[in-house]
Amino acid sequence: YIVVLEHLVFKELQGLLEQAYSLNSFDLADDIDQQELQQVLESYVMMFRYGAQDTDVESHQVDMASLQAHRPETWEFHQDFIDLVTEKFGINRCINPDSPPAEQQYYSFERVARIAQKMLEMYGPYQDSDCQGMRDHLRELDFRETGRVSLKAFWEQPEGSKYKFGESTRYLRMVGALDESQPADPKVLIANYIEGPNNCVAAIGHHAFCCMSPCGQIMAQIERKAAAAYAVPEELI
């Protein structure tokens, strides 16, 4: 099953990359230079982040320019991500694009596909930094350190706050993020809210990027250390 799922994700990735080429008027058979590679990767990462909605070159360029102008923090966040990935392939976008052709590097579609696949692998942990910021913000509202925030405080974020929460009680109840043990003072369960589907991004068919669970990482460490179905407390302390 996992092999089949990986194959489906890879096919979706390749289709998205082909669309990124098309929306920048590049042919898959042609090698592209470093500046063109940057354009393709910008289109690719924005499409798997926000969805592949554009169908023609002109509308895509307008959307990309609008994103850069009106959401500069998001644009820089993803520029830094592209740099992080391409550096692993020995690529530095600070190289002068006007260098003589003999000094330029060129990239085949197969080579760009390998970069794109690495981007897909690294995006989850990279974007989890925003999840961590949201988690820390909610913890600051958890004055009693119970892992819960009052629903009133959850909704009433101060002016200028980076995070605004507007999910309904119905939604919070549905995803198991609402503690109603005290009906007069319902509370939001921080861990359940952070790991809920509302905080997943970049859904592409069979794949989505969601906030990583620190509990899952701790359990993985315990399982590696125990290497068995059962373990006594002394082995884990």
Side-chain angles (χ1 to χ4, degrees), residues 77-95:
F77 179 84
H78 289 92
Q79 288 290 321
D80 290 344
F81 172 65
I82 292 172
D83 289 346
L84 180 68
V85 177
T86 53
E87 282 174 5
K88 294 186 176 297
F89 292 84
I91 302 168
N92 182 354
R93 70 175 164 121
C94 293
I95 293 175

Side-chain angles (χ1 to χ4, degrees), residues 14-219:
Q14 185 167 335
L16 207 61
L17 184 59
E18 290 174 359
Q19 190 173 351
Y21 266 71
S22 176
L23 291 172
N24 285 282
S25 302
F26 300 142
D27 194 295
L28 300 184
D30 295 337
D31 291 350
I32 57 177
D33 63 28
Q34 191 160 323
Q35 192 171 19
E36 293 167 338
L37 171 67
Q38 184 71 20
Q39 291 176 238
V40 167
L41 295 181
E42 287 171 354
S43 297
Y44 173 76
V45 74
M46 291 306 175
M47 284 195 294
F48 81 61
R49 172 61 180 83
Y50 293 107
Q53 300 173 354
D54 295 328
T55 57
D56 63 87
V57 174
E58 185 176 354
S59 62
H60 179 67
Q61 298 305 324
V62 169
D63 286 346
M64 292 291 283
S66 176
L67 182 65
Q68 186 173 2
H70 301 296
R71 303 188 67 178
E73 289 184 5
T74 298
W75 182 263
E76 285 303 319
F77 179 84
H78 289 92
Q79 288 290 321
D80 290 344
F81 172 65
I82 292 172
D83 289 346
L84 180 68
V85 177
T86 53
E87 282 174 5
K88 294 186 176 297
F89 292 84
I91 302 168
N92 182 354
R93 70 175 164 121
C94 293
I95 293 175
N96 186 356
D98 298 323
S99 300
E103 298 179 11
Q104 286 272 9
Q105 287 196 51
Y106 292 87
Y107 304 86
S108 65
F109 179 79
E110 290 73 21
R111 189 178 178 189
V112 178
R114 289 195 292 273
I115 297 172
Q117 184 167 2
K118 179 61 70 175
M119 292 175 76
L120 194 67
E121 293 169 2
M122 293 177 62
Y123 191 75
Y126 182 80
Q127 68 88 32
D128 194 62
S129 62
D130 192 52
C131 297
Q132 185 60 51
M134 189 188 308
R135 186 181 288 111
D136 291 343
H137 177 77
L138 288 172
R139 282 174 176 166
E140 290 176 2
L141 303 177
D142 177 19
F143 304 113
R144 297 185 178 180
E145 299 184 351
T146 62
R148 295 163 171 79
V149 176
S150 76
L151 186 60
K152 185 175 185 294
F154 179 78
W155 281 337
E156 294 179 356
Q157 294 301 296
E159 189 68 29
S161 174
K162 180 179 179 180
Y163 300 102
K164 302 287 186 181
F165 307 107
E167 288 84 357
S168 67
T169 53
R170 179 181 178 184
Y171 170 81
L172 294 169
R173 188 180 298 119
M174 181 180 69
V175 299
L178 189 64
D179 176 4
E180 297 180 278
S181 57
Q182 297 179 347
D185 185 23
K187 294 179 175 62
V188 176
L189 298 164
I190 295 174
N192 294 21
Y193 173 77
I194 293 293
E195 295 168 28
N198 53 307
N199 291 316
C200 295
V201 299
I204 49 172
H206 297 85
H207 194 90
F209 298 94
C210 302
C211 291
M212 299 172 69
S213 169
C215 299
Q217 296 172 27
I218 293 170
M219 283 301 300

Side-chain angles (χ1 to χ4, degrees), residues 1-13:
Y1 174 79
I2 293 176
V3 173
V4 172
L5 186 58
E6 287 179 345
H7 177 71
L8 289 171
V9 171
F10 177 76
K11 293 294 289 184
E12 290 168 355
L13 175 153

